[in-house]
Amino acid sequence: MQCCNNEDCNEKGRICIPESKAPRVVVIGGGFAGLKLVEKLKNKNVQVVLIDKNNFHQFVPLLYQVATSGIEPDNIVFPFRRILSRQSNVVFRMAEATGIDMDNNQLNTSIGSVPYDYLVLAQGSVVNFFGNKSFEWGGQGLKSITDALDIRSLVLQNLERAAVTCTTHEKSVLSTIVIVGAGPAGVEMAGAFAEFKKYIIPNDYPELLTTGMTIYLIEAGDRLLPAMPGKLSEKTLRYLNDLNVEILLNVKVKSYHGSVASLDNGQVINAANFIWTAGIKGSSVNGLPSAVYNRQNRIWVDEFNRVAQAKNIFAIGDIACMVNDKFPNGHPMVAQVAIQQGRLLAKNIVRLINNKDIESFDYHDKGTMATIGKQKAVAFIGNRSFGGRIAWVLWSAVHLMSIIGVRNKLLIAVNWFWNYLTYDKGDRVIIRKYSRKGDLKKGVNHE
Ligand SMILES: Cc1cc2nc3c(=O)[nH]c(=O)nc-3n(C[C@H](O)[C@H](O)[C@H](O)COP(=O)(O)OP(=O)(O)OC[C@H]3O[C@@H](n4cnc5c(N)ncnc54)[C@H](O)[C@@H]3O)c2cc1C
């Protein structure tokens, strides 16, 4: 493939991209939605330019296992260039999309601009702290592999400090974990930390035998896993109670200062580890009219995932909000929606290029699952609810099948099998130190 004329690119501040006569589809984000779209455009008469701020795709559903030392980070991230190496019509550029110039059909990025015939927004979502500066300062979200590594370091560093601290109170503060939000991410993380407490603390941290480790799971609503049927919420509550997780329902955290979480019922929890899984919002890129964003910062799209007021701009996955009778508040922000929208949009773009009618999106819900510890899970599939070991086997199989690459599937299977046999969590290392930075009043600040 010939590269473009570099001088011309430099003059216009453009990203260097090989010339092509085929229509150009520029995609922001290689998450579940963007990557599926790109893969489905293989061998089609289009030039695809994938822009992502990272050089890898991450398998978000297993981030909590990295955060809790269950698996290695490399097992769930995959370089785009390797995934797409056999797809000749794709160009990958690592860059951050910074703005859309709708008048000139051009995307601006941190490394230059790129003109498009079709633009696909698939930049997903970010953690939503709902404007609370103390959460932004002290709360660690879980949205990326770096977040997962930050949580792992935070907890392990605090355990190391607890081991050499003499006062019982200080030991207990350093080894208390507060998880806010009892959706799948919060529940799964609480279960994994509870097993860490049960099987790892007694062996690895004899200094903490008297104080132990306390895990709180705090939810503003009246049940765990609110998107699942009530029966499964109750099962989940039982499983987590068996693992000694302290569950607080109908309670909101008001603030987190220093290592003190203040709740709206007057209770105060002293915890050096504060993990936020209570909200996400769309990840915006400048340049679209503000009217296209809803309150959750998701972009309104029609039934074809087309952005309002833009003929050749589409949004798919978490960032897109498509409303219909079945989903009056938009589709759930889950991987299956993202994958199915990516698949259909690839087909529709080809049809548009060939002047054919396009198909509207119809979501096929394949069910939801969440695991609690290493032998229990809950699942809601085709209107059937079940839990226990069968759900856990199913959860494991579905996640293994979804991981990209045979090598990663094998590595994860070995890790899980080892963990199952030995109750060991092998990846308890602080590779890079975690520190909170910046100013509590201004918010945001992690390294
Ligand atoms: C902890 C956690 C656990 C989850 N577990 C499950 C689960 O078990 N099952 C399930 O179905 N769903 C789960 N989800 C939800 C699921 O991960 C999302 O619905 C899905 O990832 C959405 O896919 P996406 O392609 O829209 O966005 P993402 O997967 O978030 O991908 C967005 C991509 O865009 C890139 N990007 C973002 N901004 C820019 C920019 N400005 N410039 C360039 N690139 C950019 C990012 O690097 C990323 O690669 C979970 C989510 C979380 C946070």
Side-chain angles (χ1 to χ4, degrees):
M1 231 188 210
Q2 284 278 304
C3 192
C4 61
N5 174 340
N6 269 314
E7 277 174 29
D8 190 39
C9 279
N10 286 341
E11 254 171 47
K12 293 181 180 156
R14 294 226 168 117
I15 306 180
C16 183
I17 290 176
E19 279 173 15
S20 163
K21 291 203 167 64
R24 180 180 287 165
V25 182
V26 174
V27 183
I28 309 175
F32 286 106
L35 192 59
K36 182 52 72 182
L37 171 105
V38 171
E39 285 174 349
K40 288 288 162 188
L41 287 174
K42 186 174 181 179
N43 297 330
K44 305 294 178 206
N45 184 29
V46 288
Q47 183 190 45
V48 183
V49 178
L50 173 63
I51 306 283
D52 199 294
K53 59 185 177 185
N54 297 312
N55 76 336
F56 53 80
H57 168 81
Q58 44 198 343
F59 190 75
V60 182
L62 291 185
L63 287 177
Y64 84 94
Q65 295 215 353
V66 174
T68 55
S69 305
I71 55 175
E72 290 142 35
D74 287 12
N75 296 170
I76 59 163
V77 293
F78 320 92
F80 287 120
R81 286 182 184 273
R82 195 176 80 206
I83 302 171
L84 301 171
S85 60
R86 297 209 181 137
Q87 192 168 341
S88 59
N89 66 343
V90 180
V91 178
F92 169 71
R93 293 290 177 261
M94 189 172 97
E96 179 145 5
T98 51
I100 300 159
D101 178 351
M102 287 172 71
D103 293 336
N104 295 305
N105 286 334
Q106 178 172 290
L107 175 71
N108 298 322
T109 79
S110 53
I111 59 166
S113 60
V114 51
Y116 60 79
D117 295 298
Y118 298 92
L119 176 65
V120 180
L121 310 176
Q123 70 268 26
S125 50
V126 290
V127 177
N128 189 357
F129 291 105
F130 301 98
N132 185 312
K133 296 285 176 223
S134 73
F135 297 163
E136 285 172 15
W137 169 79
Q140 179 55 56
L142 181 64
K143 243 334 259 166
S144 63
I145 194 74
T146 38
D147 289 340
L149 287 170
D150 280 345
I151 292 174
R152 189 175 84 180
S153 295
L154 170 73
V155 171
L156 294 174
Q157 279 171 221
N158 281 332
L159 288 175
E160 289 304 327
R161 282 175 61 204
V164 294
T165 302
C166 294
T167 73
T168 311
H169 173 73
E170 209 34 34
K171 267 190 196 302
S172 140
V173 174
L174 287 165
S175 44
T176 297
I177 302 174
V178 166
I179 300 166
V180 190
V187 161
E188 289 182 336
M189 187 137 53
F193 272 129
E195 290 195 327
F196 190 102
K197 166 188 169 170
K198 193 168 171 187
Y199 301 111
I200 304 298
I201 294 284
N203 280 328
D204 279 24
Y205 295 91
E207 302 88 346
L208 302 180
L209 275 181
T210 46
T211 45
M213 187 178 186
T214 312
I215 296 136
Y216 286 92
L217 180 60
I218 304 181
E219 165 62 40
D222 60 359
R223 62 190 181 92
L224 305 175
L225 299 176
M228 287 203 182
K231 214 162 76 179
L232 292 182
S233 300
E234 283 162 28
K235 258 197 179 114
T236 307
L237 183 73
R238 240 184 12 252
Y239 294 159
L240 285 175
N241 277 335
D242 290 347
L243 287 167
N244 291 320
V245 175
E246 305 281 336
I247 296 164
L248 304 180
L249 298 174
N250 297 307
V251 186
K252 279 189 184 159
V253 185
K254 282 196 308 186
S255 65
Y256 180 71
H257 292 289
S259 51
V260 180
S262 306
L263 315 187
D264 67 353
N265 62 1
Q267 191 178 345
V268 159
I269 299 173
N270 294 296
N273 309 284
F274 186 77
I275 299 166
W276 182 260
T277 65
I280 48 172
K281 61 179 179 183
S283 159
S284 45
V285 172
N286 292 333
L288 293 176
S290 55
V292 305
Y293 289 98
N294 75 2
R295 273 177 43 217
Q296 249 187 313
N297 217 33
R298 293 173 84 186
I299 296 174
W300 296 113
V301 292
D302 65 13
E303 69 271 38
F304 309 111
N305 282 95
R306 193 159 30 197
V307 176
Q309 302 172 31
K311 268 196 191 152
N312 57 348
I313 305 182
F314 298 83
I316 50 177
D318 277 7
I319 188 66
C321 183
M322 182 191 293
V323 171
N324 57 31
D325 290 346
K326 274 198 246 166
F327 298 96
N329 299 315
H331 293 86
M333 291 159 96
V334 294
Q336 268 306 319
V337 172
I339 290 168
Q340 291 177 31
Q341 288 186 342
R343 186 180 291 132
L344 179 67
L345 183 58
K347 194 168 158 191
N348 278 341
I349 286 178
V350 173
R351 292 182 75 86
L352 276 173
I353 290 168
N354 294 320
N355 292 320
K356 292 192 176 151
D357 289 343
I358 55 178
E359 274 175 41
S360 56
F361 179 67
D362 187 17
Y363 176 47
H364 300 286
D365 188 352
K366 293 188 174 172
T368 45
M369 288 185 271
T371 174
I372 303 113
K374 67 176 197 180
Q375 290 189 34
K376 302 229 166 72
V378 288
F380 181 56
I381 298 169
N383 277 335
R384 285 196 52 218
S385 308
F386 50 105
R389 203 173 281 206
I390 296 177
W392 178 76
V393 170
L394 193 66
W395 178 94
S396 307
V398 167
H399 283 77
L400 264 188
M401 269 163 22
S402 313
I403 294 278
I404 297 179
V406 178
R407 179 178 165 273
N408 287 310
K409 282 187 213 299
L410 283 174
L411 287 172
I412 291 190
V414 168
N415 262 318
W416 283 351
F417 188 59
W418 183 252
N419 192 343
Y420 186 81
L421 288 181
T422 63
Y423 290 86
D424 191 19
K425 281 179 182 286
D427 212 27
R428 303 189 291 279
V429 284
I430 304 165
I431 298 277
R432 39 173 226 158
K433 287 208 171 137
Y434 172 89
S435 64
R436 285 190 190 117
K437 268 187 169 176
D439 185 338
L440 171 58
K441 287 194 188 115
K442 289 192 194 136
V444 190
N445 48 43
H446 304 288
E447 230 173 27

